[in-house]
């Protein structure tokens, strides 16, 4: 396995990441395209998944989302889910130009917010031949109402409207923390496990991560409904992996959404909570994903 830095154009924005060459490959090999979730950067354990896939004979193309990490784009720290969906498709296009890549054997992997993106991409882009969605966001409205107390929602909407007016008048975007030690304080991801994972992973391996996103990122999150695309993924094989006790992208929402997908599909319940998949539960999450891609992208 070798890793090299890559960059490619996405409608005028340069996206940057890594390309992992499959172990033992002679000629073009199957390839998995990967990006991270809400505000996260590629150093937040995407390398470990890519290494696992490469060891099994799969190339892996990992990139930072626009406006984050090593990638260009502005406003910085703004998350537009539809722009990120398009960027997955740009990454697929770029992958097909590489000599190491078999363009007829492309898989996509996503986790958390990007776990929602890959559901959309798999439904609308038939170049995708297998998809793995880990601890995904399936419903922006459902997730928003699960995380935010009902009596706080109108206050959030007032903030969204004020930010929209301020931006129209030329002011910079309003910002909000991604996480806060106090789950009742204003933040995009108001759960204790989110605060622990992001702050610890930032210190340990991802110095480029910043604890802020634009307020509009949160508004766009509430408008995003990836589950509506689930019926259209078939006949592309889908592996959906919710965590057993996920309080950030609630387990019951993902399991209910799974019922909307058609065959071929598989539901794999991961141990622990939302962030356990990356560290303590890494083997439990990476192994089934690796095996799914090997099964469905093999010659």
């Amino acid at each position: 396995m070798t890793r090299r830095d890559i960059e490619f154009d996405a409608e005028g924005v340069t996206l940057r990441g890594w390309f992992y060459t499959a172990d033992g490959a002679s000629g073009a090999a199957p390839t998995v395209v990967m990006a991270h979730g809400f505000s996260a950067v590629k150093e937040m354990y995407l390398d470990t998944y890519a290494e696992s896939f490469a060891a099994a004979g799969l190339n892996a193309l990992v990139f930072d989302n626009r406006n984050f990490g090593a990638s260009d784009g502005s406003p910085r720290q703004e998350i537009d889910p539809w722009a990120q969906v398009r960027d997955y498709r740009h990454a697929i296009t770029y992958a097909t130009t590489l000599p190491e890549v078999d363009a007829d054997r492309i898989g996509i992997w996503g986790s958390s917010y990007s776990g929602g993106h890959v559901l959309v991409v798999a439904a609308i882009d038939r170049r995708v031949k297998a998809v793995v969605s880990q601890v995904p966001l399936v419903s922006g409205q459902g997730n928003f109402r699960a995380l935010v107390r009902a009596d706080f929602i109108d206050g959030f909407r007032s903030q969204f409207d004020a930010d929209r007016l301020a931006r129209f008048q030329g002011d910079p975007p309003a910002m909000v923390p991604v996480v806060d030690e106090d789950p009742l304080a204003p933040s995009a991801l108001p759960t204790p496990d989110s605060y622990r994972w992001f702050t610890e992973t930032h210190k340990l391996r991802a110095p480029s991560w910043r604890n802020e996103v634009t307020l509009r990122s949160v508004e766009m999150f509430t408008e995003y409904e990836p589950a509506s695309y689930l019926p259209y993924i078939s006949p592309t094989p889908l592996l959906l992996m919710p965590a057993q006790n996920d309080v950030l992208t609630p387990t019951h929402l993902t399991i209910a959404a799974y019922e909307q997908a058609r065959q071929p599909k598989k539901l794999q319940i991961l141990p622990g909570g939302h962030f356990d998949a990356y560290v303590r539960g890494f083997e439990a999450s990476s192994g089934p994903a690796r095996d799914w891609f090997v099964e469905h992208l093999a010659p």
Side-chain angles (χ1 to χ4, degrees), residues 104-116:
D104 294 322
R105 293 188 288 164
I106 299 287
I108 53 174
W109 177 100
S111 187
S112 196
Y113 210 26
S114 68

Side-chain angles (χ1 to χ4, degrees), residues 1-266:
M1 175 191 69
T2 60
R3 183 180 97 179
R4 69 176 185 268
D5 293 339
I6 58 166
E7 61 178 48
F8 57 94
D9 177 70
E11 297 177 326
V13 174
T14 299
L15 305 184
R16 298 182 179 88
W18 301 316
F19 186 83
Y20 289 77
T21 305
D23 281 355
S26 56
T31 301
V32 179
V33 173
M34 311 168 58
H36 222 318
F38 194 94
S39 88
V41 293
K42 63 186 183 301
E43 290 82 5
M44 291 173 144
Y45 297 104
L46 290 197
D47 50 342
T48 58
Y49 286 94
E51 289 164 4
S52 173
F53 299 156
L58 306 161
N59 298 320
L61 191 158
V62 181
F63 67 97
D64 273 332
N65 289 304
R66 65 173 58 214
N67 309 336
F68 288 86
S71 290
D72 292 346
S74 62
R76 297 304 290 176
Q77 305 299 117
E78 180 151 287
I79 307 168
D80 180 340
W82 290 106
Q84 293 187 351
V85 164
R86 290 192 297 272
D87 288 343
Y88 259 96
R89 304 184 76 185
H90 294 313
I92 292 169
T93 300
Y94 169 68
T96 64
T97 69
L98 301 177
E100 302 96 332
V101 173
D102 184 339
D104 294 322
R105 293 188 288 164
I106 299 287
I108 53 174
W109 177 100
S111 187
S112 196
Y113 210 26
S114 68
H117 300 343
V118 296
L119 301 177
V120 179
V121 175
I124 62 180
D125 196 323
R126 289 301 164 193
R127 295 175 297 176
V128 175
K129 299 303 191 292
V131 54
V132 174
S133 174
Q134 174 178 290
V135 295
L137 170 88
V138 294
S139 168
Q141 274 295 312
N143 224 105
F144 183 57
R145 293 171 184 275
L147 292 180
V148 178
R149 271 175 35 178
D151 55 332
F152 288 178
I153 288 178
D154 281 350
F156 261 107
R157 288 185 172 141
S158 295
Q159 292 177 52
F160 297 155
D161 294 342
D163 179 55
R164 188 176 296 276
L165 178 60
R167 291 174 73 145
F168 178 79
Q169 294 172 337
D171 292 341
M175 307 299 289
V176 64
V178 178
V179 293
D180 193 283
E181 190 171 11
D182 178 1
L184 295 180
S187 69
L189 305 179
T191 68
D193 61 338
S194 298
Y195 177 78
R196 286 193 304 270
W197 186 81
F198 273 102
T199 55
E200 290 173 2
T201 308
H202 167 55
K203 292 175 184 175
L204 181 65
R205 54 175 20 242
S208 69
W209 178 78
R210 290 166 50 189
N211 187 20
E212 62 175 1
V213 291
T214 65
L215 180 63
R216 187 164 69 173
S217 300
V218 181
E219 183 180 27
M220 288 189 282
F221 157 88
T222 69
E223 301 166 355
Y224 187 45
E225 298 292 326
S228 63
Y229 286 83
L230 275 164
Y232 311 112
I233 294 174
S234 177
T236 303
L238 164 67
L239 174 60
L240 194 65
M241 299 197 295
Q244 185 173 22
N245 186 32
D246 196 327
V247 297
L248 182 61
T249 56
T251 308
H252 72 279
L253 294 178
T254 305
I255 293 176
Y258 176 76
E259 299 304 319
Q260 301 175 41
R262 300 184 177 127
Q263 297 292 347
K265 63 179 181 176
K266 182 179 180 181

